[in-house]
């Protein structure tokens, strides 16, 4: 489901970006060009955070499935760790710890998600993120992660 949502969000992004590009190309002054470029940059950041939220939602759902499955293990020694995790309080577990339930901390998937998370945090918490965000490239990364991460 999340991969479908990634495509839907991307379709919305393309519509908005085309509109902003059309406005930017019709402008005559350098100040106006700069203004439209800034709007495009902010739009890219907003869509990045939205795309990240779809990845986070997917990770939370996969963690819930994993926890429920592990709680049903026959032997207590195998399931005891999982019995102590409240599914309704997953937000008390750090995001990257939730990621580590699904992928090895030494894997490139973990590093990719960590890099994305750092960008997301910088944007979402009001920091200045000066690097351009190329949404088409990130869409592929989000899509690949969502289709790869399974409990």
């Amino acid at each position: 489901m999340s991969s479908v949502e990634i495509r839907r969000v991307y379709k919305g992004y393309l519509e908005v970006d085309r509109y902003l590009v059309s406005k930017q190309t019709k402008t005559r002054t350098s100040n106006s060009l700069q203004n439209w470029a800034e709007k495009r940059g902010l739009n890219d950041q907003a869509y990045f955070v939205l795309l990240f939220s779809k990845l986070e939602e997917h990770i939370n759902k996969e963690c819930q499935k994993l926890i429920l499955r592990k709680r049903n293990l026959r032997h207590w020694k195998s399931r005891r760790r999982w019995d102590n995790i409240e599914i309704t309080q997953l937000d008390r577990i750090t995001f990257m710890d939730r990621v580590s339930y699904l992928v090895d901390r030494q894997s490139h998937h973990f590093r990719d998600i960590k890099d994305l998370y750092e960008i997301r945090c910088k944007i979402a918490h009001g920091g200045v993120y000066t690097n351009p965000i190329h949404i088409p490239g990130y869409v592929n990364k989000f899509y690949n992660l969502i289709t790869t991460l399974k409990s």
Side-chain angles (χ1 to χ4, degrees):
M1 181 64 169
S2 297
S3 58
V4 171
E5 291 179 36
I6 291 288
R7 287 189 184 121
R8 198 184 70 197
V9 168
Y10 184 51
K11 185 177 177 185
Y13 165 80
L14 289 173
E15 264 183 58
V16 173
D17 193 58
R18 276 193 291 270
Y19 171 78
L20 294 173
V21 167
S22 74
K23 289 293 197 178
Q24 188 176 14
T25 56
K26 291 177 186 173
T27 193
R28 302 276 185 247
T29 67
S30 61
N31 282 346
S32 189
L33 269 172
Q34 180 64 27
N35 185 31
W36 285 108
E38 286 175 11
K39 287 178 182 177
R40 285 187 70 206
L42 289 173
N43 186 60
D44 289 352
Q45 289 183 19
Y47 270 94
F48 180 91
V49 172
L50 181 58
L51 288 166
F52 189 91
S53 75
K54 300 304 178 188
L55 173 65
E56 185 171 13
E57 178 184 35
H58 176 76
I59 288 168
N60 288 341
K61 285 179 182 176
E62 290 301 315
C63 280
Q64 287 175 345
K65 285 193 245 178
L66 175 69
I67 292 164
L68 288 173
R69 193 174 73 246
K70 295 291 187 174
R71 281 183 177 175
N72 288 321
L73 293 173
R74 177 174 228 148
H75 301 288
W76 176 76
K77 284 186 178 185
S78 299
R79 80 167 187 272
R80 68 179 166 184
R81 173 178 188 227
W82 304 98
D83 282 342
N84 293 320
I85 301 172
E86 284 298 322
I87 291 181
T88 58
Q89 297 178 349
L90 269 182
D91 59 331
R92 289 187 177 186
I93 301 168
T94 68
F95 176 72
M96 292 310 297
D97 282 345
R98 282 178 267 151
V99 171
S100 72
Y101 289 167
L102 302 175
V103 296
D104 182 347
R105 286 183 181 269
Q106 304 302 317
S107 71
H108 72 280
H109 293 305
F110 188 88
R111 285 188 302 278
D112 288 347
I113 294 169
K114 187 172 190 254
D115 292 344
L116 294 170
Y117 185 57
E118 287 172 0
I119 296 169
R120 174 255 178 224
C121 287
K122 190 164 232 174
I123 295 168
H125 296 289
V128 178
Y129 189 75
T130 55
N131 295 340
I133 294 176
H134 183 67
I135 291 295
Y138 281 113
V139 164
N140 290 332
K141 189 172 271 196
F142 282 115
Y143 182 84
N144 290 337
L145 286 167
I146 283 173
T147 55
T148 300
L149 294 174
K150 303 290 178 203
S151 64

